[in-house]
Amino acid sequence: MSHATNPADGTRIRFTTAGPEGAPVVLLVHGSALSSAVWRAFGYVKALSGDFRLVMPDLRGHGRSDTPHDEDAYAMDAIVGDLLAVLDAAGVDRVHYVGYSFGARAGLALAVDAPDRLSSLTLLGGSARPQAGSMDAMFFPGTVDVLEREGMDGFVRAWEERRRTPVDPATRSAFLKNDAQALAAYFRRSDREPGIDDEMLADIDVPVLAVVGSDDRLRVEDTRALSRTVPGARLAILRGVDHAETVSAALPAVETFLSARASRKPTDTL
């Protein structure tokens, strides 16, 4: 495991790598309350590491990265700074970006702020819209209060009660390893994210794949809107899949998209 340091505030971001040196690089960015471990758990490392060099960071507040308890430490410009620091530490100029949920949101912000660092952008259950109330809608009402009062165990119990089905073992394991107070600060700041306006989205100039589950009530319309706004974006809707299931169900579509992008010469176009 390696680390990068965000020069703006000194936050240390841990990341792992897999795959051959010199291969096209894929940056895999997980979603809220998860960690980079999900990419191995859901088969991405096995499927992609033969043809790609994978770089897999733990977002700040997650996994083995630093876990500040200040809400403003989780502003989107700080997250983008972390991702750029990881690319610099890994010695990578441009990457194929794959992000799930909040990781997709961060990818959109990176595409706006540093478009020269991306070769393509894959969004799994993503949204560019303002996020007020999104965490309570995604998990359960009073998410932050439960985190602060009952910790990660209480959070997972309450989420399973809301879902009425058990959380899969890989997701459960990632969630329970979190610092509950850091995650609460991250959730509070995420609720204040203003979104990315359509004019900025319309300026994104890399190949984009937007994937969403048909049963993802929070993100299916947001993803449809993204696919209409970002020029040339491709839309894939996974039938019978909800938000939590998207990261695992999306792998075949991601693999096909990345393989097509990597086979193109630099002068090729969509």
Side-chain angles (χ1 to χ4, degrees), residues 218-238:
L218 294 174
R219 297 290 167 79
V220 66
E221 292 307 320
D222 287 9
T223 300
R224 289 182 187 275
L226 271 173
S227 70
R228 293 192 296 265
T229 306
V230 177
R234 301 183 181 191
L235 174 65
I237 297 179
L238 307 175

Side-chain angles (χ1 to χ4, degrees), residues 19-258:
E21 296 283 354
V25 180
V26 178
L27 182 66
L28 294 164
V29 184
H30 62 82
S32 298
L34 298 171
S35 76
S36 58
V38 299
W39 303 116
R40 192 172 297 276
F42 289 126
Y44 281 72
V45 172
K46 181 178 180 180
L48 300 177
S49 61
D51 297 320
F52 298 94
R53 180 69 171 168
L54 308 181
V55 178
M56 299 166 283
D58 287 340
L59 292 170
R60 62 171 60 202
H62 297 73
R64 298 185 183 181
S65 291
D66 285 354
T67 56
H69 289 185
D70 176 18
E71 289 180 33
D72 288 335
Y74 297 96
M76 186 56 72
D77 60 351
I79 305 298
V80 170
D82 293 345
L83 296 176
L84 292 174
V86 167
L87 295 185
D88 292 343
V92 178
D93 290 329
R94 296 175 68 93
V95 295
H96 298 282
Y97 185 105
V98 178
Y100 166 57
S101 195
F102 184 83
R105 176 55 162 259
L108 288 167
L110 185 63
V112 169
D113 292 348
D116 58 311
R117 305 302 295 267
L118 298 184
S119 296
S120 70
L121 179 61
T122 299
L123 310 168
L124 311 179
S127 174
R129 293 178 176 172
Q131 296 297 290
S134 64
M135 294 304 176
D136 279 4
M138 185 178 299
F139 296 110
F140 53 86
T143 294
V144 173
D145 291 339
V146 170
L147 275 171
E148 292 177 333
R149 186 176 63 250
E150 301 180 32
M152 293 309 307
D153 286 332
F155 173 88
V156 172
R157 283 196 304 271
W159 188 29
E160 287 182 325
E161 290 173 4
R162 170 70 177 268
R163 284 168 53 88
R164 299 181 181 177
T165 57
V167 176
D168 68 84
T171 300
R172 172 187 285 275
S173 176
F175 273 49
L176 292 178
K177 291 176 182 176
N178 281 304
D179 176 326
Q181 300 306 312
L183 198 62
Y186 158 76
F187 279 4
R188 289 190 188 280
R189 186 59 180 81
S190 295
D191 258 9
R192 293 159 45 201
E193 280 300 318
I196 301 172
D197 64 40
D198 286 353
E199 290 77 12
M200 291 180 177
L201 294 176
D203 285 338
I204 293 176
D205 190 25
V206 295
V208 173
L209 172 66
V211 184
V212 69
S214 64
D215 295 349
D216 186 347
R217 58 188 176 80
L218 294 174
R219 297 290 167 79
V220 66
E221 292 307 320
D222 287 9
T223 300
R224 289 182 187 275
L226 271 173
S227 70
R228 293 192 296 265
T229 306
V230 177
R234 301 183 181 191
L235 174 65
I237 297 179
L238 307 175
R239 297 298 172 189
V241 171
D242 67 15
H243 189 73
E245 296 164 337
T246 296
V247 65
S248 57
L251 178 55
V254 173
E255 190 173 8
T256 298
F257 181 73
L258 290 177

